[in-house]
Amino acid sequence: MAVKRRLRPTSQLALAAGGVGLWGLWLLGCAAPAPTPADGTGAGECQATPIVLVSIDTLRSDRLPAYGYDAGDTPAIDRLRRDAVLFERAYSPAPLTFPAHASLFTGELPPAHGVHDNAGYVLGENAATLAERLGRACYRTAAAVSSYVLRSGTGIEQGFEHYDDDLGATEGRTSADIQRDGMATVAAALEWLRESGRSRTEAPSDRPRPVFLFVHLFEPHAPYVPPEPFASRLADPYDGEIAAADRAVGVLLDGLEELGLYDDAVIVLVSDHGEGLGDHGEQEHGLLLYRESLQVPLLVKLPDRANAGAAFAGVVSLVDLAPTLLELAGLDPGDGRAGRSLVPALDGRPIADRVALAETFYPLHRFGWSPLVSAISDRHHLVEGGGRQELFDLEADPGELDDLAARDAASVAAVGAHLAGYERTPPAPHRESAETIAALEALGYVASGDAPQREGEAAWRLPHPRDRIAVLDRLARAVDALRAGEARGAAEQLRRLVSEEPSLVDGWQFLGVALDRLGDPESAYGAYSRALELSGNVETLAPALTRLAATLGRWDEVLVHARAAEAAGLEERRIGALHTQALLVLGRVEEARTSAGRNLERWPDDPELIYQAGAVEIGARALERAEQLLRRALELRPDYVPALSDLAVLLAVEGRAEEAAPLYRRVLELDPDNRQATEGLARIEGASSGGG
């Protein structure tokens, strides 16, 4: 077996290498002894370094002690910083989770990878992701994520042989509320490492393959509700959430140490975007493109802690991370992508000046306001949208409070040149099939005449998001009321808001939530429908619309919304059940059988879905199969009344009264007022006594 050579770079070695930098020498000496076939064959000869990528959602770099913040409490991140190279000026290409991670994995800007918002888009199969390229080489690839936005089905999972997105039940929760505690996510990641990540290949050399592990933590995303002891220890709840994320990072780092991976691995800690925290009026993120939402931490720990404690002051972007990690793995970082490898910067060598580009179409899609684009150079930050340009001097004015656009035309032109070719008319958020779109149009779900023009140059003349920030504040107060259980007050606030801002998609959606909680399904359905009509974004609205349509008995519409949910990659068990129920109610029994079978493939141990499949088989007169399914449901849930009752009826119809009677009696023990069981048992007892 070949032994991996361990070189600890020194300045003398660098000189002897004739200009090859410190990390470059390590790479030449250790990471690329022989090429690995692109299809992964010969993986037993792969000697590349392990890679662990940690993304902490919504983390501003300037709220970390590693970046000079005094009030934080992040011992794990501080520990990593001591072992790592810190990038002082790293920026995100989008202040939203899904587009930013798509850029992180592909090395492309949103116009190239096609993801422009958290909902309504999918990362296409033609995207060459970091996980795919590493997996084709020789890596074992796995991910554990904490947010619904990064769930499997969005395309972000491609290339990972193991993708853990077990976030628990999703029904009745908004996408922002569907998250997993960071400690649970880290536990899942470490479990994979212990059980699978270090497993041997089947190659004769029996050498373990290197791992690429991606871990995503959702703290400190709003709402900020840090656990103890951080809630009491830190005055600012955002800082408390960061401390909670740091605790999870610490557990991960300890686990890597225990597994003998810490020293060997490249470990990256980064965020997808920052958080407004009110600096320019925006409390959270997605709407504006100022520094607080775009600048993110970036720490890269090299094997053997090479260049530990160093820092790089130049502008870099998340799109640079994929080519960097590919080169560190001994692979071609790729040509023609927006990103470039930062390997030279990791050992202190200069890299060419660059400009970090960013976009947000969230204001357009959710509020009917202008989208924004921006460019950050070494000195200036230019933001365009809403019919105007803003220019800030980041050296003299890091808080971006003094707009120089009217006073420095030369800098506006110089930085603006980098935005000249930026694609400003991305496809609208739609992931549905042509059949689904046609069905939605047939129901009237098309953009209404009073919706704003949202395409082409007209979109860029819509109101600037910052000018309408008061609307966002009002929406936030209404949502806070909803979260506090004050649905009636929230509904009143939201009704006033959408009457003044009729294109406010989020306003209509949250009004639907409030009205639903108040027990008014008809009005809730109308509010959700208006949000769908304005946005066309089935992905976030289909679950509620499916459920409410069923409540109202609109079974044709249940089918349309359930199909739209499936087309958008939403595999929720309740949507699947309602789809089956709608087909059965409409008399389309064979289609209902197919739907029920598909549900059982997805959720094979769900007693309610197994029971429903049995009920469908009863409708199809396939009684033997129905009995099998009903008994299976009762194995999983012995006291499940619907299954007990239907099985009793089935047995009684087949003349198996002795088997049916005890089932009816058990139903009545559990539900004394059950009329079907009362009448069924009476018939059996009457027949046995000669009375009928």
Side-chain angles (χ1 to χ4, degrees), residues 112-455:
H113 61 61
V115 178
H116 297 274
D117 208 334
N118 280 343
Y121 294 93
V122 64
L123 183 62
E125 293 181 358
N126 60 334
T129 68
L130 178 62
E132 286 177 308
R133 295 198 61 192
L134 291 173
R136 283 198 300 266
C138 60
Y139 279 77
R140 301 210 64 188
T141 59
V145 302
S146 300
S147 170
Y148 181 76
V149 174
L150 296 183
R151 70 192 180 282
S152 179
T154 61
I156 201 72
E157 78 283 0
Q158 57 191 310
F160 288 102
E161 61 185 81
H162 175 77
Y163 198 85
D164 188 322
D165 61 351
D166 184 4
L167 306 175
T170 62
E171 295 172 18
R173 302 161 68 191
T174 65
S175 58
D177 293 328
I178 302 172
Q179 58 178 287
R180 173 165 58 176
D181 179 85
M183 294 289 281
T185 301
V186 166
L190 290 174
E191 180 181 8
W192 178 83
L193 276 177
R194 293 184 179 110
E195 295 183 357
S196 304
R198 300 285 277 179
S199 67
R200 303 278 177 172
T201 69
E202 296 179 0
S205 63
D206 200 36
R207 180 178 293 117
R209 291 163 58 190
V211 297
F212 169 52
L213 175 65
F214 170 61
V215 180
H216 169 257
L217 307 177
F218 206 47
E219 300 95 346
H221 196 285
Y224 317 129
V225 188
E228 293 295 353
F230 310 114
S232 300
R233 184 183 300 167
L234 296 158
D236 189 320
Y238 179 72
D239 291 342
E241 290 255 335
I242 294 173
D246 181 82
R247 176 174 61 180
V249 170
V251 172
L252 177 63
L253 297 181
D254 289 344
L256 295 175
E257 289 267 23
E258 293 169 6
L259 291 167
L261 281 170
Y262 184 87
D263 286 337
D264 291 346
V266 170
I267 302 175
V268 178
L269 185 140
V270 71
S271 181
D272 52 353
H273 55 75
E275 189 77 317
L277 300 181
D279 283 4
H280 287 87
E282 182 181 22
Q283 181 60 37
E284 296 182 21
H285 58 271
L287 203 65
L288 303 178
L289 289 184
Y290 298 110
R291 187 187 59 79
E292 61 268 13
S293 293
L294 296 179
Q295 190 165 353
V296 295
L298 175 56
L299 302 174
V300 181
K301 187 207 78 68
L302 300 173
D304 291 331
R305 300 171 173 85
N307 271 359
F312 180 77
V315 170
V316 302
S317 170
L318 290 188
V319 297
D320 299 325
L321 200 49
T324 301
L325 293 177
L326 288 170
E327 185 170 351
L328 293 179
L331 302 174
D332 180 2
D335 296 323
R337 289 183 170 82
R340 64 175 178 190
S341 173
L342 301 176
V343 165
L346 287 170
D347 59 26
R349 288 180 285 151
I351 57 177
D353 291 340
R354 71 161 309 153
V355 173
L357 305 182
E359 68 163 46
T360 180
F361 283 84
Y362 179 75
L364 180 68
H365 297 154
R366 307 304 297 178
F367 299 91
W369 303 333
S370 174
L372 301 173
V373 292
S374 84
I376 299 175
S377 69
D378 185 57
R379 178 73 181 262
H380 292 99
H381 184 192
L382 179 70
V383 184
E384 295 184 354
R388 68 173 184 253
Q389 296 175 308
E390 297 173 284
L391 180 74
F392 303 99
D393 184 331
L394 295 176
E395 290 185 14
D397 178 28
E400 298 180 322
L401 301 176
D402 183 16
D403 179 9
L404 303 175
R407 289 171 275 160
D408 191 352
S411 294
V412 169
V415 183
H418 296 278
L419 292 170
Y422 198 92
E423 175 57 56
R424 302 188 186 213
T425 56
H430 258 304
R431 294 173 55 182
E432 297 74 54
S433 65
E435 178 186 2
T436 301
I437 293 173
L440 290 169
E441 289 175 343
L443 291 175
Y445 295 118
V446 294
S448 63
D450 61 341
Q453 176 61 41
R454 299 183 177 211
E455 296 180 359

Side-chain angles (χ1 to χ4, degrees), residues 44-125:
E45 296 303 316
C46 178
Q47 299 184 38
T49 186
I51 299 173
V52 179
L53 172 58
V54 181
S55 173
I56 302 179
D57 212 288
T58 321
L59 177 56
R60 282 176 62 151
S61 59
D62 62 2
R63 295 301 283 262
L64 289 177
Y67 283 80
Y69 184 58
D70 293 333
D73 182 14
T74 57
I77 296 174
D78 295 346
R79 164 193 172 188
L80 184 64
R81 191 276 169 270
R82 289 191 293 271
D83 293 342
V85 178
L86 178 145
F87 287 83
E88 297 176 0
R89 300 183 62 199
Y91 297 96
S92 173
L96 295 164
T97 296
F98 187 19
H101 281 91
S103 289
L104 188 155
F105 284 143
T106 64
E108 300 280 13
L109 292 166
H113 61 61
V115 178
H116 297 274
D117 208 334
N118 280 343
Y121 294 93
V122 64
L123 183 62
E125 293 181 358

